[in-house]
Amino acid sequence: MSRDQSPPDGIDVGTPHVGRVYDYVLGGKNNYAADREYADRIVAQMPDYPVLARANRSFLSRAVEYMARAGIRQFLDLGAGIPTSPNVHEVARETHPDARVVYVDNDPVVSVHNDVLLATDALLVSIRADLGSPGTVLDHPDLLRLIDFGEPVGVLLLSVLQLFPGETPERVLGPLRERLPEGSLLAVSHPSAEGDQEAVARARAALAGGPVTVALRRHEEILPFFDGFDLVEPGLVDVTTWRPRMPSRPTSMIVLGGVARKGGAEPA
């Protein structure tokens, strides 16, 4: 489905959706006029936004590669967004060809695309669900068909928790901590309130009044999201400096990210 085609029945394309906005900023075609207009307003105030989005996507690839090389064979991508290559399963299967992946998002457009993408692969599934009700996600029969909570799981929450204001991220993270077995790995990325404060102020102004509340948080506010897990080196850092493959240009704003293990030592 391209931006020139009619949307699936029942999908509201008059209101921007974060997943479709992100798709547009990454250069995708699975977005609509309202998404593009909202994204353009943000980019006008946050020129670094496309660079930050690409940096976050690159962090996903490196985090999944790390998890796979650490022995993880099953992955849970929470807030997966519109499919963008390389996907989690593409990266994971470079190490484990039989890797299993569950993608979760609340956008029906994501479900439509993932249903097409994953239809011929029994080891992949897409679930349309709200992360604000994590029990419905973790107990979903399609998830339980692929994910064995008796074995370590790689969980991705990339640029998702900023959509949960106040203390509500704990509503997502608490059930995960309880369900995941030792040896599981958790990757989190989150736009930071640090960096150039003038740029941060412009970002807050641009995001205010948007379709969803977006919380920019500082390092000390993001760090507790890893409670119950041990951060692997280099810890919670600018995602461009998390085990980078190449240098990146500095930006006025940053996205913080890290990977953490539940129990057990980090492999050498």
Side-chain angles (χ1 to χ4, degrees):
M1 179 176 60
S2 75
R3 65 182 62 175
D4 299 318
Q5 293 177 308
S6 298
D9 291 341
I11 292 180
D12 174 16
V13 299
T15 301
H17 187 279
V18 289
R20 301 194 302 262
V21 169
Y22 191 64
D23 172 75
Y24 171 62
V25 170
L26 286 173
K29 298 180 180 180
N30 303 308
N31 48 75
Y32 299 92
D35 307 308
R36 298 191 290 274
E37 290 168 7
Y38 179 64
D40 288 341
R41 290 202 306 272
I42 295 176
V43 172
Q45 297 298 320
M46 297 171 56
D48 287 337
Y49 183 27
V51 178
L52 296 173
R54 290 192 291 272
N56 188 65
R57 194 71 197 179
S58 178
F59 171 67
L60 177 148
S61 293
R62 300 196 307 277
V64 172
E65 180 181 352
Y66 171 84
M67 291 177 175
R69 290 183 175 179
I72 300 293
R73 295 174 176 268
Q74 50 181 356
F75 296 82
L76 184 53
D77 187 357
L78 300 174
I82 302 286
T84 302
S85 188
N87 295 299
V88 173
H89 65 274
E90 292 171 330
V91 177
R93 286 178 174 178
E94 291 179 3
T95 303
H96 302 297
D98 60 346
R100 310 186 301 278
V101 182
V102 175
Y103 295 97
V104 180
D105 202 281
N106 69 345
D107 183 4
V109 172
V110 172
S111 295
V112 169
H113 284 281
N114 275 340
D115 287 347
V116 172
L117 177 70
L118 311 178
T120 60
D121 194 321
L123 298 182
L124 307 175
V125 70
S126 173
I127 297 172
R128 183 183 172 193
D130 183 357
L131 298 185
S133 301
T136 63
V137 176
L138 297 176
D139 293 325
H140 195 288
D142 287 341
L143 183 148
L144 296 176
R145 177 172 60 83
L146 288 188
I147 301 296
D148 177 2
F149 285 109
E151 300 177 359
V153 183
V155 178
L156 304 160
L157 278 163
L158 302 190
S159 282
V160 173
L161 294 176
Q162 73 269 17
L163 306 178
F164 293 83
E167 301 300 320
T168 54
E170 184 59 29
R171 192 167 69 227
V172 178
L173 293 164
L176 272 175
R177 290 192 193 100
E178 294 177 7
R179 189 70 63 92
L180 293 176
E182 287 204 357
S184 293
L185 288 165
L186 171 67
V188 173
S189 67
H190 194 297
S192 174
E194 294 160 86
D196 182 277
Q197 289 305 292
E198 183 178 340
V200 170
R202 289 197 305 269
R204 292 190 193 277
L207 294 167
V212 295
T213 300
V214 178
L216 302 180
R217 294 183 170 97
R218 302 186 69 81
H219 187 282
E220 63 267 23
E221 297 174 291
I222 300 169
L223 195 59
F225 297 161
F226 295 99
D227 284 353
F229 294 77
D230 297 317
L231 279 161
V232 304
E233 292 295 333
L236 177 61
V237 296
D238 181 336
V239 293
T240 64
T241 66
W242 195 91
R243 305 187 181 219
R245 296 194 182 102
M246 61 185 67
S248 61
R249 74 171 179 83
T251 53
S252 57
M253 292 186 64
I254 62 173
V255 175
L256 292 175
V259 176
R261 181 182 307 279
K262 184 176 182 180
E266 180 178 359

